[in-house]
Amino acid sequence: MAQTMRALVYQNPGEVVIEERPMPIPAEGEVQIQIKNVSICGSDIGAYRHYSERFKPPLVIGHEFSGIITDIGQRVKGFDIGQRVAVNPIMYCGKCYHCNRGEINLCGYRRSLGTAIGGTQTDGAMREYMTMRTSNLVPIDDAVSYRDGALLEPMAVCLSSARCGLTAGEENTVVMGAGPIGLLNVKFLKALGIKNVIVTDVLDARLQKAKDFGANHVFNPCHVSVTANIKELTNGIGADRVIIAAGVPGAIAEAFTMVRNGGNVVLVAMIHDIIEFDPMQIMSRGCNLLGSYMFTTEMADAMKMVSEGKMSVDGIVTSSFSLEDGKQALDLITSPGNSEIKVQMTMNQ
């Protein structure tokens, strides 16, 4: 086996370079993975645009990926060389209060692949090989491609948010934002049986994509009053639930104008701004503001839905680049006005 591998290393905003690095060798309880597909996440895009301590360089970014096991460390059970896998990027401790409750996404000691969360730079997947402990592996069914396997992580985020605050008899659900997270929420909401899925976005091309993915109604706030249209569709009552998948500061206040009394507002988008909203919207109307962060078991759940044909992610990946062209991929998806939904890098093909 080769002694080195290539890695795309984030150096500064707008700057990545290919480096030769030592081939990683699996320790006890770990496997070596030859990476096949890596999806570029919105958080990767944010790091490429702006400096953040959460992505302190130099760092290999990327945490949505799939590959094949090429070597196994000692005391590994249940996994074999040649097995296809995706990886849960949440490096939870497994011992704390939250981990013992199965809330690995809330672990206070967690690290996360491709970030410096937790104060430790943890290299991610934009490289040819990596090692990973078996507790984070998610086997990929034969019916699931490497392309789709590299979408299991964002799919898990979206399945978790699509389930968050779901109530019996829910009929009208709004998704604010038709980026990758919003569009995957549309697909899962329809798979969960929601009668009317309503999508808002400021880009008509993305609204058309939402319709292609099953949205019943789409509205562009630049052209119409979204709240007025939602009230008309719901006989003046408002939506049962609003899922915020667009990280804009005014989204929370706007969501409360759309949701019915007693309804739920779910925040899955990352809004880094300090914002103001009227707490009477919660108290006097009996509404709930819920946070949906990452996931627990949803990667395996999403994979089963894909393998059984209950969920399709066709149309999500709009462009693919080699690892060597990684900078071109990042420049494309961060360019103003680009029409990309999800961009992937491929290697070892």
Side-chain angles (χ1 to χ4, degrees):
M1 178 177 284
Q3 300 300 306
T4 62
M5 64 161 188
R6 295 170 301 164
L8 186 70
V9 183
Y10 166 67
Q11 301 284 356
N12 282 298
E15 182 184 354
V16 290
V17 296
I18 293 286
E19 291 184 2
E20 287 285 330
R21 291 193 167 187
M23 181 69 69
I25 305 301
E28 182 177 305
E30 292 183 343
V31 302
Q32 180 192 75
I33 302 170
Q34 184 188 62
I35 297 171
K36 298 291 187 178
N37 288 57
V38 183
S39 298
I40 300 176
C41 175
S43 62
D44 300 325
I45 294 170
Y48 192 67
R49 282 177 170 156
H50 308 289
Y51 178 84
S52 168
E53 287 294 318
R54 291 167 61 91
F55 296 90
K56 189 175 181 180
L59 183 71
V60 178
I61 57 176
H63 59 271
E64 305 173 2
F65 64 102
S66 61
I68 186 170
I69 296 175
T70 46
D71 196 6
I72 292 177
Q74 294 182 352
R75 301 185 184 278
V76 167
K77 296 181 180 180
F79 293 93
D80 300 301
I81 292 175
Q83 188 168 0
R84 302 162 67 247
V85 294
V87 172
N88 179 343
I90 307 171
M91 303 301 292
Y92 55 92
C93 76
K95 300 176 182 178
C96 70
Y97 170 83
H98 291 291
C99 286
N100 286 330
R101 290 164 53 92
E103 301 167 341
I104 60 172
N105 57 319
L106 304 180
C107 171
Y109 305 96
R110 70 185 180 277
R111 295 176 292 114
S112 185
L113 294 180
T115 76
I117 291 174
T120 301
Q121 289 166 287
T122 307
D123 281 340
M126 292 184 186
R127 47 180 164 159
E128 291 182 304
Y129 290 84
M130 70 184 306
T131 55
M132 180 53 54
R133 65 189 189 188
T134 57
S135 57
N136 284 67
L137 300 181
V138 180
I140 298 176
D141 285 355
D142 291 341
V144 178
S145 66
Y146 285 121
R147 182 203 69 176
D148 293 355
L151 294 172
L152 289 176
E153 194 274 348
M155 289 175 68
V157 170
C158 296
L159 178 54
S160 181
S161 58
R163 289 170 169 171
C164 183
L166 176 64
T167 55
E170 180 170 317
E171 292 188 351
N172 302 293
T173 307
V174 176
V175 177
M176 297 178 68
I181 297 301
L183 291 172
L184 285 171
N185 263 279
V186 170
K187 282 183 168 283
F188 279 119
L189 289 168
K190 297 308 293 186
L192 292 172
I194 301 301
K195 181 179 178 181
N196 290 311
V197 176
I198 306 157
V199 180
T200 74
D201 200 281
V202 297
L203 297 176
D204 289 332
R206 291 205 167 186
L207 290 176
Q208 181 58 54
K209 182 70 75 170
K211 291 180 70 174
D212 295 343
F213 284 7
N216 302 92
H217 307 278
V218 298
F219 299 112
N220 186 328
C222 297
H223 307 318
V224 300
S225 169
V226 174
T227 297
N229 276 276
I230 290 171
K231 289 293 182 68
E232 183 177 351
L233 285 171
T234 58
N235 297 317
I237 297 171
D240 298 302
R241 187 166 47 130
V242 178
I243 299 174
I244 302 173
V248 294
I252 294 178
E254 186 178 359
F256 278 110
T257 71
M258 304 175 186
V259 74
R260 65 169 173 81
N261 291 349
N264 294 324
V265 174
V266 177
L267 179 62
V268 63
M270 290 186 177
I271 301 176
H272 295 286
D273 302 80
I274 303 299
I275 63 172
E276 293 183 358
F277 69 95
D278 182 5
M280 292 294 288
Q281 294 291 324
I282 296 175
M283 189 280 292
S284 66
R285 296 180 57 206
C287 296
N288 300 297
L289 177 59
L290 306 172
S292 181
Y293 180 68
M294 298 295 286
F295 51 86
T296 54
T297 64
E298 280 81 6
M299 281 188 74
D301 298 342
M303 194 225 6
K304 184 177 181 182
M305 292 176 72
V306 173
S307 65
E308 292 179 350
K310 297 177 181 178
M311 173 75 176
S312 169
V313 289
D314 290 345
I316 290 289
V317 177
T318 49
S319 292
S320 182
F321 292 80
S322 67
L323 185 67
E324 292 85 350
D325 292 328
K327 178 170 172 50
Q328 183 180 346
L330 288 162
D331 286 341
L332 170 65
I333 203 166
T334 54
S335 63
N338 80 85
S339 59
E340 301 295 331
I341 302 298
K342 202 71 166 175
V343 173
Q344 287 191 349
M345 296 180 198
T346 60
M347 59 209 82
N348 297 307
Q349 299 294 315

